[in-house]
Amino acid sequence: EPREAARLRLGLDPRRHVVGTVGRLEPRKGCEVLLEAMQIVAARSNGACPQVLVVGDGPLREALAQRTEDVGLGHVVRFTGNLSDVRPALAAMDVFVLPSHEEGLSNALLEAMATGRAVVATAVGGTGEIVAHERTGLLVPAADPPGLAAAVLRLLRDPGMAAELAQAG
């Protein structure tokens, strides 16, 4: 699906960047790190903060949604819940983020790369077997919101690099 159509289908602004993740909203998946990183991105974006798409559900959904409101990001973060087909969500994204504290071999990461998304992932578990740093994506340490924010901003500010990494992935 074309990016603009996917964004419209999901209720997103087709003219603004989208950073997103897909996964179960539980502690080991690190979604809170993504939200902290997006606070940093928002502060460094001069009013052009990307939209954030969080696909999935789990025991932390309500707490994460409340935290998003509490830190003033409610207008840019969209929680979709579980989707039977994640392809439109992936098509809408400029950058896919896997912020896990621990991970095996992430299907969501494989799907994002297979659909040509630029990826930023934490260097945990089997992720290093999938993502070659600065060749097929960017790897950052786990639980490092500033590092995650820097990597996301790097790809948003350098679409040529993002496209090269996505293609290589």
Side-chain angles (χ1 to χ4, degrees):
E1 182 169 25
R3 184 169 289 168
E4 183 175 304
R7 288 179 180 176
L8 288 171
R9 183 198 305 206
L10 292 164
L12 301 169
D13 183 339
R15 298 161 295 170
R16 291 179 47 217
H17 288 298
V18 176
V19 174
T21 192
V22 175
R24 184 153 165 74
L25 303 182
E26 62 184 6
R28 71 184 184 96
K29 292 296 188 173
C31 195
E32 78 286 350
V33 176
L34 172 61
L35 297 177
E36 288 178 43
M38 294 314 296
Q39 284 181 264
I40 297 167
V41 169
R44 295 182 184 167
S45 296
N46 300 322
C49 182
Q51 300 165 101
V52 182
L53 191 60
V54 179
V55 178
D57 210 341
L60 294 182
R61 181 176 178 177
E62 287 184 31
L64 292 168
Q66 184 60 54
R67 184 172 182 178
T68 299
E69 292 295 329
D70 292 345
V71 300
L73 290 179
H75 66 290
V76 296
V77 179
R78 176 142 166 22
F79 290 88
T80 68
N82 288 327
L83 298 177
S84 60
D85 183 359
V86 298
R87 289 176 296 180
L90 291 171
M93 295 176 196
D94 294 292
V95 177
F96 174 86
V97 178
L98 185 73
S100 299
H101 296 294
E102 53 185 271
E103 192 65 62
L105 195 62
S106 170
N107 284 334
L109 179 59
L110 292 170
E111 290 170 351
M113 293 174 80
T115 58
R117 298 305 106 205
V119 300
V120 174
T122 51
V124 298
T127 304
E129 295 177 33
I130 301 170
V131 178
H133 183 61
E134 296 191 344
R135 290 197 323 241
T136 62
L138 298 179
L139 291 172
V140 298
D144 180 9
L148 189 64
V152 167
L153 281 168
R154 184 176 176 194
L155 293 179
L156 292 177
R157 291 177 176 163
D158 188 347
M161 177 188 196
E164 287 176 22
L165 295 176
Q167 178 64 35

